[in-house]
């Protein structure tokens, strides 16, 4: 069951008359338990309750009790030995009047509510359906329920009005939904006079058979677009007069309303019955987007960005500074006034704003500071000076753009109610402003200067000259003279492989002014370049969440030289972390946050995670493109090492359609002599890690004829030839003449091999390097050293090499994509003495011996981070100790120190060798 279905089921359960006997089973059923599971519980077979309730192992202990006994019963459930034994995560007690529940596995506050309201705590119970969520989701049950119900209405309306789902009418549908949401909010917050006015009017005026629900709704929408005095003339019904004039663009344009079925009408009324005062515009907006996305609907938009993550961008970008200024100002009325004036001129601009969550959060935070200023100045009720229109965005999709504006309007109203009281909030709320400050369009094609005109005086003229901006810009500009602009957001990441042709074109356009090789860059780079260029015209600061790959590997030398120029510097950065979203069961992407500006700051900050998972901050002098404290360097791939340390080669690339590989079954058909002469073990990445080789034909050029004497081999060679001849690639077709050979042969056969996978998981603590015997072939999934001393292993598996690789090689989701030219050839090594080499050789041998002790454990078993044998870990520790002492005479304190040293050595290495 998905979250929408669960919400529907528990809402139905709460609406039905309470049935004490069946309630526990119905509750479990609503959370997706199968009929057979319920049957077994009813029969008692799987019911572990010692209190006469229903206890489902590892899930929940429920007890229905006598009236007034709920709290006592919950305590008994908590104390019950069965609850503990059966590892119940939840306990729940109800008498049909009230309901209390607790999540024993988290410190979320318990639920205590009227029975009929328990669906309001829908998010709290979601883990019961295997949908594990982080705290915020349970705290925002209203937003989930509202989204869920709007979801159902949306789907139902599309059933009756399929044309509204077409691209031609999507906009109308989205606009209609936005109007509805506004009406639901307005009727619960006294913006409409009379609680429930909108829902009640529809209930009363529209027929139960739903035949005129659309015309009644349309009349109300038209009324909200018409000043009261003009309504008679417009032929609007008298009952619409109790609705205020709203407009502000929300109620203008096409007033069509889709037809309602009886079900759709009842959904509409149900949604109206929710308590919309609880809406949380920063969260709701993001969730509601999912309603308009066919693939996202069932998921309730749970992968929206969490508020703490958004604050990681906004706090260091601007809010920390404003709060610090507030603290400094104390009670000094003049300083406080200046701060308020400054804030009134701040623009926050999110050029990929979705439904405006960054903007809403920034606006709310700045209003909070303003309210504190007003309180300290003794004028708590004065009108806010923070213009909502200074919170600007661009969004590609129509519905989120619509919702972003609505979310900001709701946020403004809520702030007014909170800080100035409802009376004043109401007095100034309507009609809504008609300016549209959220632009629906492609941010990489639009001119940001005309959407968010820069605020400095000198710039006004430039903007007009350069971009032919609309005339009214000068005025806006003037009003905002001397203001600051903060650009922020989490633009789409999209690696180069996943970009559409249009997106590639977008990037091409953005990078036109640079000579960057944009083709390998993530889509998000376009936003960084545009934000940086925006700063050519004004002082501005920007901070974006981006895929960590833009700060690693080949993207760094492509992108960053164009960003770190014209005084543009990284002022703060969050090093790689998981961009978790509210559905914690969904893997988030690994991201970084980079905050840049063209106004240099001395206190540059790097935020990272310490060993305990807490955020740790360091103040540094410079942050480079790898988000490391150090000079701005861009590590380029090198074709060879600058010293006498062996180079790393590739494995062998078959390009054989699989025909040179032999399964064990095929081996049975071959005589021993043929196997001995022409068959080898072959390792790819998974075979190396699991220790389970496959087999392949490996035939010397001089022995082709002899090998082809075997019918199986002959048929395989024919298949390879045919496959290669059919290829579009010239090199492959050329290889058809030598079908006995891998297309790229890197070994002769007979070499001792040290191998490592091209793709390696970030979850291990060490690079999975393997030693393979001389009867082995390595495939192109591996990098290899052929016939080199085991000393190299000590370097390869070191922590230093790991952190270097993790920084300079590319990352693919949660894996590293190793590169010999970037990871190995650039790896800064000290000059080793004979003694150093001997010590490191011993360390490498000890590691290999420790592995031997656990034969036949594979690399996968041995390097499982949770089950690594202690002697092996110790051997690695010794290896790191010996190597690190060679670098700096002691162990490094942490990876940051390791990297900083490596960067320092790299700088020296490239200077002395004139490389890079
Ligand atoms: C990762 S989302 C972030 C939205 C919002 N801040 C959030 O957390 O939900 C990126 C947003 O960028 C929008 N987008 C994608 N390509 C765009 C483009 N070329 N121009 C403007 N917006 C774009 C997407 O529709 C999406 O809403």
């Amino acid at each position: 069951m998905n979250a929408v279905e669960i919400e529907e089921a528990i809402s139905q359960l709460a609406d039905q008359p309470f049935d004490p006997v069946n309630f526990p089973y119905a509750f479990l059923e609503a959370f997706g338990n199968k009929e057979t599971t319920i049957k077994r519980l009813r029969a008692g077979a799987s019911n572990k309750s010692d209190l006469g309730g229903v206890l489902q192992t590892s899930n929940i202990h429920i007890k229905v009790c006598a009236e007034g006994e709920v709290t006592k019963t919950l305590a008994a459930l908590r104390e019950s030995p069965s609850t503990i034994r059966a590892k119940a995560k939840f306990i729940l007690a109800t008498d049909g009047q009230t309901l209390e529940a607790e999540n024993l596995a988290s410190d979320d506050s318990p639920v205590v509510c009227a029975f009929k309201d328990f669906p309001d705590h829908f998010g709290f119970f979601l883990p019961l359906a295997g949908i594990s969520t982080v705290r915020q989701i349970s705290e925002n049950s209203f937003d989930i329920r509202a989204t869920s119900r709007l979801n159902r209405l949306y789907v139902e309306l599309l059933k009756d009005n399929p044309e509204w789902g077409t691209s031609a009418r999507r906009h109308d549908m989205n606009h209609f939904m936005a109007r509805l949401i506004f009406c639901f909010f307005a009727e619960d917050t006294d913006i409409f006079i009379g609680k429930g006015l909108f829902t009640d009017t529809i209930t009363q005026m529209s027929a139960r058979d739903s035949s005129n629900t659309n015309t009644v709704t349309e009349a109300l929408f038209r009324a909200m677009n018409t000043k009261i005095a003009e309504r008679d003339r417009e032929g609007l019904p008298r009952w619409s007069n109790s609705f205020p004039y709203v407009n502000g663009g929300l109620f203008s344009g096409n007033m069509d309303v889709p037809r309602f079925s009886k079900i759709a009408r009842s959904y509409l009324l149900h949604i109206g019955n929710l308590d919309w005062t609880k809406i949380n515009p920063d969260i709701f907006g993001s969730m509601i987007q999912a309603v308009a996305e066919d693939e996202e609907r069932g998921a309730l938009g749970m992968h929206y960005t969490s508020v703490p993550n958004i604050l990681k961008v906004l706090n260091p970008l601007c809010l920390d500074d404003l709060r610090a200024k507030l603290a400094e100002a104390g009670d000094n009325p003049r300083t406080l006034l200046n701060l308020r004036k400054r804030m009134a001129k701040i623009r926050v601009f999110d050029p990929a704003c979705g439904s405006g969550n960054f903007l809403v959060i920034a606006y709310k935070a700045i209003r909070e500071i303003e309210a504190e200023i007003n309180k300290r100045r003794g004028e708590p009720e004065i009108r806010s000076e923070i213009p909502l229109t200074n919170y600007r965005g661009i969004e590609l999709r129509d519905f989120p753009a619509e919702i972003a504006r609505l979310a900001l309007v709701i946020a403004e109203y809520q702030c007014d109610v909170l800080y100035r009281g409802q009376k004043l909030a109401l007095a100034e709320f309507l009609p809504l402003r008609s300016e549209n400050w959220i632009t629906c369009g492609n941010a990489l094609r639009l001119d940001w200067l005309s959407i968010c005109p820069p605020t400095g005086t000198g710039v006004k003229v430039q903007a007009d000259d350069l971009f032919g901006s609309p005339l009214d810009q000068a005025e806006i500009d003037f009003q905002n003279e001397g203001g600051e602009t903060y650009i922020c957001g989490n633009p789409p990441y999209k690696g180069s492989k996943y970009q559409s042709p249009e997106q590639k074109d977008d990037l091409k356009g953005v990078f036109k002014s640079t000579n960057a090789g944009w083709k390998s860059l993530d889509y998000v780079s376009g936003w960084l370049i545009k934000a940086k260029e925006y700063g050519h015209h004004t002082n501005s600061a920007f901070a974006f969440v981006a895929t960590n790959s833009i700060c690693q590997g080949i993207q760094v030398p492509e992108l960053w030289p164009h960003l770190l120029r014209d005084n543009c510097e990284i002022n703060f950065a969050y090093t790689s972390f998981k961009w978790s979203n509210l559905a914690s069961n969904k893997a988030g992407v690994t991201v970084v946050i980079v905050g840049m500006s063209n106004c240099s700051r001395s206190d540059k900050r790097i935020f990272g995670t310490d060993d305990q998972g807490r955020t740790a901050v360091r103040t540094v002098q410079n942050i480079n493109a790898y988000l490391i404290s150090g000079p701005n360097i861009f590590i380029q791939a090198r074709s060879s090492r600058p010293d006498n340390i062996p180079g790393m080669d590739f494995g062998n690339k078959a390009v054989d359609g699989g025909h040179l590989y032999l399964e064990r079954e095929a081996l049975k058909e071959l005589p021993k002599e043929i196997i001995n002469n022409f068959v080898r073990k072959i390792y790819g990445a998974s075979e190396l890690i699991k220790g389970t080789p496959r087999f392949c034909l490996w035939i010397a050029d001089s022995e082709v004829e002899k090998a082809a004497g075997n019918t199986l081999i002959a048929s395989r060679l024919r298949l390879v030839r045919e496959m290669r001849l059919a290829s579009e690639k010239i090199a492959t077709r050329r290889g058809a003449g030598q079908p006995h050979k891998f297309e790229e042969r890197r070994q002769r056969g007979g070499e001792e091999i040290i191998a490592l996978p091209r793709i390696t998981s970030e979850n291990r603590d060490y690079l999975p390097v393997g030693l393979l015997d001389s009867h082995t072939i390595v495939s192109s999934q591996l990098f290899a050293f052929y016939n080199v001393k085991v000393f190299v292993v000590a370097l390869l598996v070191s922590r230093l090499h790991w952190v270097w690789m993790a920084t300079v090689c590319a990352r693919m989701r949660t894996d590293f994509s190793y590169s010999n030219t970037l990871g190995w050839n650039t790896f800064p090594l000290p000059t080793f003495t004979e003694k150093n080499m001997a010590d490191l050789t011993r360390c490498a041998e000890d590691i290999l011996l420790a592995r031997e002790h656990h034969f036949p454990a594979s690399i996968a078993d041995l390097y499982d981070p949770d089950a690594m044998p202690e002697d092996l870990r110790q051997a690695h520790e010794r290896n790191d100790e010996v190597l690190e002492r060679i670098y700096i005479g002691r162990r490094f304190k942490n990876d940051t120190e390791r990297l900083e040293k490596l960067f320092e050595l790299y700088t020296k290495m490239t200077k002395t060798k004139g490389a890079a």
Side-chain angles (χ1 to χ4, degrees):
M1 268 172 119
N2 66 33
V4 176
E5 291 159 341
I6 294 167
E7 196 278 331
E8 187 167 9
I10 59 170
S11 296
Q12 271 172 14
L13 179 60
D15 286 346
Q16 280 162 17
F18 182 66
D19 174 348
V21 178
N22 280 317
F23 170 76
Y25 306 108
F27 182 88
L28 288 170
E29 215 175 329
F31 281 92
N33 279 282
K34 295 207 182 84
E35 233 179 274
T36 44
T37 315
I38 303 284
K39 252 192 198 150
R40 293 191 53 204
L41 276 170
R42 271 188 200 276
S46 55
N47 182 359
K48 303 280 186 248
S49 178
D50 52 355
L51 296 175
V54 174
L55 169 52
Q56 190 182 34
T57 304
S58 304
N59 212 26
I60 187 166
H61 198 172
I62 307 176
K63 175 133 173 75
V64 175
C65 56
E67 217 174 303
E69 303 271 292
V70 175
T71 306
K72 209 167 96 194
T73 309
L74 196 78
L77 286 168
R78 199 181 302 115
E79 300 304 321
S80 137
S82 299
T83 300
I84 299 159
R85 214 174 308 123
K87 298 196 174 108
K89 291 190 208 99
F90 284 84
I91 49 173
L92 183 158
T94 182
D95 57 1
Q97 301 293 321
T98 54
L99 179 147
E100 292 188 21
E102 219 170 286
N103 181 345
L104 301 172
S106 93
D107 26 317
D108 286 355
S109 338
V111 164
V112 179
C113 63
F115 178 80
K116 67 175 179 33
D117 293 336
F118 86 81
D120 284 344
H121 302 275
F122 163 64
F124 176 88
F125 292 113
L126 267 183
L128 287 174
I131 302 174
S132 49
T133 59
V134 294
R135 147 127 5 103
Q136 267 167 303
I137 208 157
S138 43
E139 285 172 359
N140 293 297
S141 286
F142 171 82
D143 303 292
I144 310 173
R145 289 196 80 197
T147 307
S148 166
R149 291 188 177 195
L150 286 163
N151 243 326
R152 265 181 275 147
L153 175 64
Y154 194 94
V155 172
E156 197 56 38
L157 286 172
L158 285 189
K159 267 194 219 157
D160 300 323
N161 306 271
E163 71 286 2
W164 284 65
T166 61
S167 54
R169 297 228 65 184
R170 267 287 158 113
H171 174 76
D172 293 337
M173 184 69 178
N174 295 342
H175 206 83
F176 165 72
M177 293 301 283
R179 286 171 182 161
L180 274 188
I181 293 166
F182 175 82
C183 291
F184 291 133
F185 176 71
E187 70 174 356
D188 283 356
T189 48
D190 294 338
I191 293 171
F192 293 168
I193 296 159
K195 188 129 183 96
L197 180 72
F198 178 73
T199 310
D200 288 351
T201 308
I202 299 211
T203 313
Q204 283 157 17
M205 304 314 300
S206 76
R208 291 176 84 94
D209 67 2
S210 78
S211 53
N212 65 342
T213 312
N214 58 337
T215 45
V216 170
T217 314
E218 191 184 312
L220 293 180
F221 286 176
R222 278 185 36 229
M224 289 183 248
N225 186 30
T226 313
K227 299 209 171 105
I228 306 259
E230 294 161 16
R231 287 190 186 172
D232 257 359
R233 202 174 53 220
E234 292 294 320
L236 280 161
R238 210 161 252 264
W239 44 263
S240 71
N241 278 347
S242 27
F243 286 81
Y245 170 65
V246 178
N247 202 323
L250 192 61
F251 290 95
S252 62
N254 190 338
M255 285 294 163
D256 274 8
V257 171
R259 290 183 308 278
F260 279 67
S261 65
K262 263 165 94 171
I263 299 177
R265 178 177 179 274
S266 94
Y267 282 164
L268 180 83
L269 302 181
H270 257 83
I271 302 171
N273 289 332
L274 289 172
D275 178 4
W276 283 79
T277 53
K278 293 185 186 154
I279 188 172
N280 205 344
D282 38 359
I283 292 188
F284 177 76
S286 307
M287 300 192 86
I288 191 73
Q289 296 187 33
V291 170
E293 304 286 324
D294 297 342
E295 285 149 27
E296 293 289 322
R297 229 169 266 142
L300 272 187
M302 273 194 209
H303 50 267
Y304 76 87
T305 308
S306 69
V307 178
N309 272 344
I310 294 174
L311 288 174
K312 283 184 181 156
V313 176
L314 294 178
N315 281 342
L317 178 65
C318 56
L319 298 178
D320 282 347
D321 179 53
L322 295 174
R323 291 191 190 111
K325 293 286 182 302
L326 176 68
E328 273 168 34
D331 287 328
N332 182 322
R334 176 131 293 277
T335 324
L336 287 168
L337 183 65
N338 286 342
L339 179 59
R340 191 171 78 198
K341 280 189 183 150
R342 176 185 159 199
M343 292 201 307
K345 287 181 177 173
I346 284 179
R347 286 220 170 115
V348 181
F349 174 43
D350 179 349
C353 70
S355 36
N357 48 1
F358 281 69
L359 298 175
V360 168
I361 290 169
Y363 175 78
K364 279 167 69 172
I366 288 183
R367 283 290 305 264
E368 191 183 339
I369 300 172
E370 184 195 41
E372 181 57 30
I373 293 176
N374 293 346
K375 199 167 101 196
R376 289 189 202 172
R377 283 176 48 88
E379 42 194 18
E381 290 183 350
I382 67 162
R383 193 184 181 137
S384 169
E385 287 179 3
I386 312 296
L388 199 60
T389 46
N390 268 1
Y391 295 74
R392 299 191 175 196
I394 305 178
E395 167 54 44
L396 188 65
R397 291 170 303 150
D398 180 69
F399 190 48
E402 192 88 57
I403 295 295
R405 203 148 73 90
L406 188 56
L408 279 162
V409 168
I410 290 177
E412 184 186 40
Y413 178 75
Q414 286 182 338
C415 286
D416 278 342
V417 171
L418 183 65
Y419 301 124
R420 306 177 57 218
Q422 195 182 29
K423 207 166 136 218
L424 290 173
L426 279 173
E428 288 157 16
F429 186 65
L430 291 179
L432 298 180
R433 267 185 290 262
S434 57
E435 307 104 304
N436 189 3
W437 61 101
I438 304 291
T439 305
C440 185
N442 183 339
L444 296 191
R445 305 262 173 167
L446 287 166
D447 167 21
W448 292 8
L449 288 161
S450 50
I451 287 164
C452 186
T455 51
T457 32
V459 180
K460 225 168 18 188
V461 183
Q462 265 186 8
D464 264 342
D465 284 355
L466 285 173
F467 299 100
S469 314
L471 274 181
D472 62 355
Q473 181 183 317
E475 201 182 328
I476 300 169
D477 224 351
F478 181 73
Q479 283 171 7
N480 223 42
E481 196 170 302
E484 301 150 49
T485 303
Y486 296 100
I487 306 176
C488 62
N490 57 337
Y493 312 132
K494 289 244 173 146
S496 59
K497 280 195 197 136
Y498 304 96
Q499 290 157 16
S500 66
E502 293 77 34
Q503 288 170 330
K504 286 192 184 299
D505 246 25
D506 293 344
L507 280 187
K508 190 176 170 189
V510 171
F511 280 87
K512 207 164 52 199
S513 57
T514 71
N515 54 357
W518 55 270
K519 286 186 182 154
S520 59
L521 297 178
D522 291 357
Y523 194 40
V524 62
S525 335
W527 274 259
L528 286 154
I529 291 284
K530 286 207 60 141
K532 190 245 163 197
E533 284 176 355
Y534 183 93
H536 291 177
H537 305 275
T538 182
N539 287 346
S540 78
F542 59 95
F544 288 120
V545 184
T547 24
N548 61 349
S549 46
I550 65 155
C551 294
Q552 289 171 337
I554 46 168
Q555 298 204 39
V556 172
E558 294 293 7
L559 172 67
W560 285 90
H562 305 285
L563 290 172
L564 291 171
R565 68 204 299 176
D566 308 321
N567 299 326
C568 197
E569 294 180 347
I570 301 179
N571 279 337
F572 74 90
Y574 268 85
T575 53
S576 295
F577 67 100
K578 285 256 159 55
W579 187 249
S580 61
N581 41 61
L582 286 202
S584 61
N585 55 341
K586 284 202 175 194
V589 272
T590 306
V591 298
V592 291
I593 295 172
V594 272
M596 304 185 69
S597 91
N598 50 11
C599 311
S600 186
R601 291 176 64 130
S602 52
D603 59 336
K604 301 192 165 69
R605 287 177 293 169
I606 301 183
F607 298 83
T609 317
D610 69 11
D611 294 345
Q612 274 82 47
R614 293 173 305 215
T615 300
V617 196
R618 275 196 324 141
T619 304
V620 299
Q621 277 187 344
N622 188 56
I623 304 175
N624 71 21
Y626 298 91
L627 307 187
I628 286 164
S629 160
N632 289 336
I633 45 177
F634 311 105
I635 292 163
Q636 309 267 9
R638 295 177 53 104
S639 56
S640 62
R641 283 203 56 90
D643 46 27
N644 54 4
I645 302 292
M648 184 188 289
D649 207 336
F650 295 99
N652 304 277
K653 195 166 166 194
V655 198
D656 64 334
H659 305 305
L660 290 175
Y661 278 76
L662 297 170
E663 300 311 324
R664 273 181 197 277
E665 282 306 302
L667 288 189
K668 286 185 195 151
E669 292 176 33
L670 293 174
K672 215 168 177 136
E673 189 210 337
I674 295 280
I675 294 181
N676 286 343
N677 287 336
F678 305 122
V679 177
R680 298 293 177 91
K681 282 184 284 185
I682 179 160
Y683 287 83
S686 138
E687 292 81 22
L688 180 79
I689 307 271
K690 293 188 192 142
T692 50
R694 295 174 71 194
F695 298 91
C696 71
L697 290 171
W698 193 261
I699 303 164
D701 295 347
S702 56
E703 296 199 289
V704 180
E705 221 168 288
K706 188 171 157 204
N710 177 282
T711 49
L712 185 141
I713 296 184
S715 83
R716 290 300 184 95
L717 298 189
R718 198 185 56 248
L719 289 169
V720 175
R721 185 180 305 112
E722 285 168 8
M723 171 263 151
R724 289 189 180 163
L725 281 174
S727 169
E728 287 179 355
K729 292 192 183 147
I730 300 172
T732 307
R733 284 205 300 279
R734 211 178 289 134
Q738 293 190 308
H740 65 286
K741 253 184 164 169
F742 277 36
E743 185 177 293
E744 272 178 36
R745 221 189 230 195
R746 301 274 169 177
Q747 36 175 151
R748 298 160 62 95
E751 301 85 352
E752 296 282 347
I753 302 166
I754 296 169
L756 65 151
R758 275 170 172 259
I759 307 290
T760 199
S761 161
E762 68 170 7
N763 294 328
R764 290 197 190 85
D765 294 333
Y766 302 94
L767 256 188
V769 174
L771 230 71
L772 301 170
D773 67 49
S774 61
H775 207 68
T776 305
I777 303 301
V778 284
S779 87
S780 55
Q781 290 176 354
L782 299 176
F783 283 110
F785 294 87
Y786 302 112
N787 289 331
V788 304
K789 298 216 170 87
V790 77
F791 151 78
V792 165
V793 172
L795 308 179
L796 284 173
V797 300
S798 67
R799 183 73 198 162
L800 277 157
H801 182 231
W802 177 271
V803 295
W804 183 252
M805 171 220 44
T807 306
V808 305
C809 291
R811 199 189 283 242
M812 290 168 25
R813 296 173 202 270
T814 53
D815 294 330
F816 295 114
S817 172
Y818 194 87
S819 147
N820 55 346
T821 52
L822 261 173
W824 182 247
N825 291 347
T826 63
F827 179 42
L829 288 168
T831 310
F832 294 114
T833 62
E834 288 293 320
K835 162 119 183 26
N836 294 154
M837 308 263 262
D839 290 346
L840 287 169
T841 305
R842 175 121 20 84
C843 288
E845 284 166 356
D846 286 349
I847 290 172
L848 299 170
L849 273 174
R851 289 187 190 177
E852 282 290 307
H853 287 157
H854 299 277
F855 182 81
S858 64
I859 291 181
D861 304 328
L862 291 169
Y863 288 90
D864 173 346
D866 298 324
M868 190 168 169
E870 196 42 39
D871 55 344
L872 181 59
R873 198 176 278 284
Q874 289 298 333
H876 276 280
E877 279 292 311
R878 273 196 305 280
N879 182 54
D880 283 329
E881 167 107 33
V882 169
L883 182 62
E884 295 186 4
R885 279 186 181 283
I886 300 173
Y887 273 82
I888 57 163
R890 60 165 171 84
R891 284 299 303 261
F892 286 96
K893 289 196 206 100
N894 49 37
D895 287 346
T896 309
E897 201 188 10
R898 285 187 184 93
L899 269 178
E900 285 174 7
K901 182 71 191 170
L902 288 170
F903 271 87
E904 183 194 313
L905 289 178
Y906 179 85
T907 314
K908 279 193 197 142
M909 176 171 117
T910 49
K911 266 194 197 132
T912 49
K913 305 280 171 188

